[in-house]
Amino acid sequence: MRPYALARRCCQLLYVSMAVFAAWMASASAAELPGEGYRPGPLLQSMLDGDLAGVDEIVFAVRVSGRDHWYVNFGYYACDYGPPADHAFGLYPDGVSLRGYGNGGRLCRLNLRTGQLQVLLDDPQGGVRDPQVHYDGQKILLSYRPGDTATYHLYEINIDGTDLRQLTDGPDDDIEPTYLPDGGIMFCSSRCRRFVNCWYSRVATLYRCDGDGQNIRIVSSNNDHDNTPWVLPDGRILYMRWEYVDRSQVHFHHLWTVNPDGTGQMTYYGNMFGGVAMLDAKPIPGTKKIVASFSPGHGRPEHMGHVAIVDPTAGPDDPAAARQISKGASTYRDPYALSENCFLVAQGKSIQVMNGEGKTETVYQLPAADAHMECHEPRALRSRPREAAIAPRVDLEEDTGRLFLANLYHGRNMEGVQPGEVKKLLVLEQLPMPVHFSGGMESISLGGTFTLARILGTVPVAEDGSAFFEVPALRSLFLVALDEHDRSVKRMQSFVTVQPGETSGCVGCHEQRTQTLAAFSELSLANLQRRPDRIQPIDDVPTPLDFPRDIQPILDRHCVACHNPDQYDGRVDLTGDRQPQWSMSYHTIRRLNLVADGRNEPYGNRPPRSIGSSASRLMKLIDGSHYDAKLSEHEQKMVRLWIESSAAFAGTYASLGCGVYHAPISIQLLVERCGNCHAQAGDAKIGFKGHQLSALCNLDRPDKSLLLRAPLAKEAGGLGICGSEVFRDTNDPAYQRLLAAVRVGASQLAEGKRFDMPGFQPNKFYVREMQRFGFLPKDLDPNESIDFYATDQAYWKSFWWPEQRKP
């Protein structure tokens, strides 16, 4: 064990021993007896006589609830401004960051028949969450953050409150554990060291470990959250997966399954329709159904939602398979099923029972003294049979796995794609994000992708639509089907992961999960019996592609002569001049929809050739048919692969949260001089026919700003687009005021820099996280230049399986 880890472990063991004593004292002295004449309510009594007949007691957690998105109830925020300042609970123990959790937690044991409550663990400055009772009914697994410490870790405690013992440790959070039938534990952890792609907080993804907390390894490569794993009767783990590749970031957080060893990751329910976060899903005993919290929209704090039952027998895409049973507001959470007519649920400060018709009855209510706390995660305290054990299919000594595709042409929404049309698959990797500063995708893209994509290469597709190829393990991969011209035919709009040594596959392209092929072709079967194809890298294209570095020079050579602020052919500017946030060319390409991507829209499985290179007008404009724009074959490939890899602006996450410099334009001045044509909805608003005001400002050459040149008379050197000749010459006082305002933004840009400028330094939060994660030295001189492209690459490489398995 490393010296740091040993010292940390010793301190934690000392704290745990103190907590054990405190817990014993709590259990010995804090048993709350019910009032004289206590009797269960009529609904509870009917359940105790029926589905709860074998259950006397339950356990549950009490803690301070998070007050941000459903996933912000651990860890810290990336920065100290904006929403974090409104939602945070004060300083994180590092003294710098803002924390996403509140202090105060208890683990409680309640006798449903007598009403007696026993506090098993009480920590007014700590946090207690996610209890699960062991198969033998004698111990409880939980996530616990001891008071005045920063992170949650896995612990076990006996059901009488004795022998609290720590299983995991380290600088990251371990939450939402579940016992596995093979003796291990699966849980969610921020050991993945990434941030939500559209928020300020840390991500937790699936991990597993042995029953004693040893041999921790990553299971999911997801860029965003996995949540609330729970074992199904057949041994698979049911969990919530949130992801957005080529689609909306707020619509798709649905149910998936995975085997205990991480193999077989597969959609379970809901991935084709959005609008609800499906959390805390668990099996209903004696049925094939599950119960879950359906948290509306993008999900409510602490998983609050409606209690719903899902029957998966109709397949994963049938909206009618889900039935809401709770009544009233979406304020329930953590449903636990004893049967299809008997559920434990938490709601605010109470634990309740609920029947299959949604009728509820409170069985425990927090006292008034606990005004800052709420109840969470009720579970039956009883033994239970182990689920089926699924034999492992991983080989942790391998660096790769294999993917098999039976017939690409078999699937949904493939109309018009002819057999033999697809020649290869482009393999890309969605890259995790080490920090984030907003709810948007800026400056990675303008309304499109939130993340960068690495181009790994291509693999062949046989005439019958089959493919068999080797891929790197534990990477978030997505595929694009390409035709003979390397143009996109179909995009995956999701990602796939394989474990080391795993062979996984699918029947077709977005095929119905309830169907299979009637028969495999001889070629498909032969594919499985040969060595898998290896990805053919594309060595002459950098990855990830960066628009100013890699695409702008192509535009400079072939397009800028006609499309510049002076000649302005077609009213198009394709120079690399910088606006307040983007470049002129990038903003123009996006404004004119010259690139077709998934946008941030709630659609999956789009029709063939509707997004990607084949649907992008830009490819037609550079094929040699548009005047003198005759790009070389390699230049066309660069543009095409930039589109296929999500058409990002910045090729580095160091660009996030910085590099934006607005010119202080007087709206009143614009209304006075331009209002006759451009006034909108009253005197205080003005619009410019699809142009954002900021896009009219050229911070590299202020006098070339369209804001100035469009209304300036031609005789004075302007474009004269505004027929009334708003500015007859550059001496007009209003012209000079606008020019001065643009120069203010230009001055700020020159001083503060942007990622594509010499001398740029990432903001302090990016630096802090890269120091925290070990990719920049702790004692870095603030004036020392940073190779942020190399830093990003080192960060991404650390997640590769060969790096992960290093001691």
Side-chain angles (χ1 to χ4, degrees):
M1 185 176 289
R2 296 173 182 171
Y4 163 79
L6 179 61
R8 181 182 177 90
R9 182 66 167 163
C10 290
C11 292
Q12 288 172 328
L13 289 174
L14 175 62
Y15 190 94
V16 169
S17 65
M18 297 169 61
V20 169
F21 178 75
W24 179 82
M25 290 294 292
S27 64
S29 61
E32 297 181 13
L33 298 176
E36 184 177 351
Y38 167 83
R39 291 170 54 184
L43 181 59
L44 174 58
Q45 187 61 60
S46 69
M47 292 177 173
L48 291 170
D49 294 337
D51 293 319
L52 281 172
V55 178
D56 291 333
E57 296 177 290
I58 63 172
V59 296
F60 60 93
V62 176
R63 67 174 180 275
V64 176
S65 291
R67 50 196 185 199
D68 199 339
H69 293 301
W70 90 83
Y71 46 83
V72 187
N73 50 22
F74 70 92
Y76 58 89
Y77 290 100
C79 61
D80 54 10
Y81 58 82
D86 299 328
H87 299 307
F89 288 89
L91 279 179
Y92 194 64
D94 65 3
V96 178
S97 312
L98 296 178
R99 55 188 168 92
Y101 58 83
N103 287 328
R106 290 199 292 271
L107 178 65
C108 299
R109 174 177 174 176
L110 176 69
N111 190 305
L112 296 175
R113 298 179 186 276
T114 68
Q116 182 175 355
L117 180 79
Q118 183 179 4
V119 177
L120 304 179
L121 175 61
D122 189 2
D123 192 333
Q125 296 302 312
V128 176
R129 53 178 297 166
D130 314 318
Q132 191 188 62
V133 179
H134 190 264
Y135 296 104
D136 64 13
Q138 297 304 304
K139 60 184 178 180
I140 301 166
L141 176 66
L142 69 150
S143 186
Y144 173 42
R145 181 183 55 78
D148 300 320
T149 65
T151 49
Y152 282 94
H153 290 114
L154 306 189
Y155 287 74
E156 282 184 323
I157 190 172
N158 293 341
I159 61 172
D160 63 358
T162 62
D163 194 21
L164 176 68
R165 51 204 175 273
Q166 184 173 354
L167 303 181
T168 63
D169 62 6
D172 304 300
D173 289 274
D174 302 325
I175 60 172
E176 299 176 346
T178 186
Y179 284 117
L180 299 176
D182 63 10
I185 297 169
M186 189 167 284
F187 58 101
C188 298
S189 179
S190 64
R191 296 168 188 266
C192 60
R193 298 192 171 183
R194 58 199 63 178
F195 274 73
V196 175
N197 299 332
C198 62
W199 205 239
Y200 308 77
S201 56
R202 290 281 294 274
V203 162
T205 63
L206 292 179
Y207 280 71
R208 68 159 291 153
C209 65
D210 296 341
D212 61 0
Q214 300 300 303
N215 296 315
I216 296 172
R217 71 173 177 88
I218 191 170
V219 167
S220 168
S221 63
N222 196 356
N223 268 24
D224 262 303
H225 279 277
D226 302 318
N227 278 105
T228 56
W230 201 275
V231 185
L232 291 168
D234 63 10
R236 292 178 298 160
I237 287 77
L238 179 66
Y239 70 103
M240 191 284 308
R241 169 167 136 171
W242 178 25
E243 47 121 321
Y244 38 102
V245 178
D246 290 336
R247 56 182 184 170
S248 165
Q249 96 266 30
V250 297
H251 284 80
F252 299 98
H253 8 58
H254 300 114
L255 298 178
W256 288 67
T257 57
V258 62
N259 295 331
D261 65 350
T263 61
Q265 295 186 27
M266 182 61 62
T267 183
Y268 181 84
Y269 183 73
N271 194 46
M272 291 301 293
F273 48 88
V276 63
M278 301 176 183
L279 295 152
D280 294 299
K282 304 175 190 68
I284 300 176
T287 76
K288 294 183 178 180
K289 301 175 183 179
I290 60 102
V291 65
S293 171
F294 274 34
S295 196
H298 187 35
R300 300 192 61 199
E302 287 289 359
H303 307 184
M304 287 192 297
H306 300 288
V307 178
I309 293 175
V310 176
D311 183 352
T313 56
D317 303 320
D318 183 2
R323 176 173 62 90
Q324 177 184 322
I325 62 170
S326 60
K327 311 297 183 185
S330 56
T331 54
Y332 295 99
R333 55 175 172 260
D334 311 316
Y336 180 98
L338 282 302
S339 75
E340 203 169 349
N341 196 43
C342 179
F343 303 92
L344 300 172
V345 296
Q347 185 187 47
K349 300 181 181 303
S350 68
I351 299 295
Q352 303 177 15
V353 288
M354 177 183 291
N355 67 15
E357 302 300 320
K359 183 179 179 180
T360 60
E361 185 175 276
T362 297
V363 299
Y364 176 76
Q365 182 80 27
L366 281 173
D370 291 327
H372 63 302
M373 310 268 270
E374 291 189 331
C375 295
H376 299 263
E377 299 115 13
R379 326 292 199 208
L381 180 55
R382 63 172 180 178
S383 62
R384 55 193 174 92
R386 289 179 186 263
E387 301 86 1
I390 299 175
R393 295 192 286 124
V394 298
D395 183 348
L396 300 182
E397 296 304 311
E398 292 194 28
D399 296 338
T400 62
R402 291 155 293 280
L403 286 174
F404 174 71
L405 174 60
N407 182 359
L408 178 144
Y409 304 105
H410 177 85
R412 290 172 291 175
N413 218 2
M414 292 293 288
E415 292 79 5
V417 181
Q418 300 302 314
E421 185 175 344
V422 174
K423 303 301 183 183
K424 62 182 75 169
L425 298 175
L426 177 64
V427 184
L428 302 113
E429 177 188 4
Q430 190 184 34
L431 296 171
M433 187 174 285
V435 69
H436 200 79
F437 306 105
S438 75
M441 67 290 289
E442 305 81 6
S443 58
I444 301 304
S445 79
L446 179 54
T449 183
F450 284 77
T451 58
L452 298 173
R454 184 195 302 278
I455 301 166
L456 298 186
T458 62
V459 294
V461 174
E463 286 297 312
D464 67 344
S466 64
F468 184 42
F469 53 102
E470 188 176 57
V471 295
L474 286 165
R475 311 262 283 275
S476 295
L477 308 176
F478 63 104
L479 310 175
V480 182
L482 303 178
D483 64 16
E484 61 182 340
H485 303 295
D486 288 341
R487 298 291 183 88
S488 61
V489 176
K490 185 81 170 181
R491 292 179 69 90
M492 187 172 174
Q493 295 193 258
S494 185
F495 76 88
V496 62
T497 299
V498 296
Q499 299 295 308
E502 177 185 6
T503 297
S504 183
C506 52
V507 171
C509 187
H510 294 274
E511 81 280 7
Q512 289 281 2
R513 296 298 182 184
T514 55
Q515 298 177 358
T516 186
L517 289 176
F520 285 84
S521 72
E522 292 184 7
L523 187 55
S524 299
L525 293 172
N527 267 336
L528 277 174
Q529 296 171 6
R530 63 171 176 82
R531 291 180 63 87
D533 293 311
R534 291 190 172 183
I535 297 172
Q536 295 301 308
I538 304 173
D539 294 326
D540 58 349
V541 174
T543 185
L545 284 157
D546 181 289
F547 185 89
R549 183 192 65 198
D550 304 318
I551 304 302
Q552 186 60 49
I554 299 173
L555 302 180
D556 289 342
R557 287 191 290 270
H558 299 283
C559 308
V560 168
C562 297
H563 301 296
N564 60 70
D566 292 316
Q567 189 160 333
Y568 206 52
D569 283 3
R571 297 191 177 182
V572 170
D573 184 348
L574 292 178
T575 64
D577 290 353
R578 297 173 184 87
Q579 301 173 349
Q581 186 160 21
W582 314 100
S583 70
M584 289 292 174
S585 54
Y586 182 81
H587 185 271
T588 297
I589 288 171
R590 294 283 23 158
R591 178 177 61 85
L592 298 177
N593 291 320
L594 300 183
V595 169
D597 59 14
R599 299 281 77 196
N600 188 25
E601 296 176 345
Y603 307 114
N605 192 18
R606 290 179 185 252
R609 300 187 183 276
S610 60
I611 56 175
S613 59
S614 60
S616 297
R617 287 196 294 145
L618 182 60
M619 294 303 299
K620 180 63 177 175
L621 294 172
I622 64 173
D623 68 0
S625 62
H626 181 69
Y627 298 98
D628 294 325
K630 295 180 173 60
L631 278 65
S632 70
E633 184 176 334
H634 179 258
E635 289 172 326
Q636 290 190 50
K637 180 167 73 170
M638 289 274 285
V639 175
R640 175 177 58 78
L641 288 172
W642 170 71
I643 294 171
E644 302 299 14
S645 58
S646 304
F649 177 58
T652 171
Y653 289 137
S655 66
L656 295 166
C658 56
V660 181
Y661 306 98
H662 290 292
I665 303 296
S666 168
I667 300 299
Q668 185 58 42
L669 175 61
L670 292 179
V671 170
E672 292 172 0
R673 300 302 296 268
C674 308
N676 287 341
C677 297
H678 297 286
Q680 291 182 341
D683 295 335
K685 294 184 179 180
I686 197 160
F688 293 96
K689 298 181 180 179
H691 291 274
Q692 294 177 332
L693 178 58
S694 62
L696 304 177
C697 299
N698 187 325
L699 301 191
D700 283 336
R701 296 181 288 172
D703 61 318
K704 300 298 183 181
S705 297
L706 187 61
L707 182 67
L708 298 170
R709 292 189 50 71
L712 181 62
K714 285 186 178 182
E715 294 77 10
L719 295 173
I721 291 174
C722 301
S724 59
E725 296 182 356
V726 178
F727 301 135
R728 294 190 176 276
D729 56 52
T730 59
N731 295 319
D732 188 301
Y735 178 96
Q736 290 296 322
R737 285 179 60 189
L738 292 176
L739 177 60
V742 177
R743 283 174 172 165
V744 170
S747 177
Q748 293 174 348
L749 171 66
E751 180 179 356
K753 314 292 185 187
R754 190 174 291 164
F755 72 94
D756 60 335
M757 298 172 67
F760 168 77
Q761 287 285 82
N763 71 28
K764 64 180 182 180
F765 303 110
Y766 173 92
V767 172
R768 185 189 70 197
E769 293 309 307
M770 285 304 199
Q771 289 175 318
R772 193 193 303 267
F773 297 155
F775 301 101
L776 289 175
K778 298 286 187 184
D779 58 352
L780 181 70
D781 187 324
N783 298 316
E784 184 177 342
S785 63
I786 297 171
D787 185 343
F788 43 88
Y789 287 105
T791 303
D792 278 356
Q793 292 285 359
Y795 165 76
W796 295 323
K797 187 178 179 181
S798 73
F799 301 115
W800 296 4
W801 178 240
E803 297 293 320
Q804 288 275 312
R805 71 175 187 226
K806 287 181 179 178

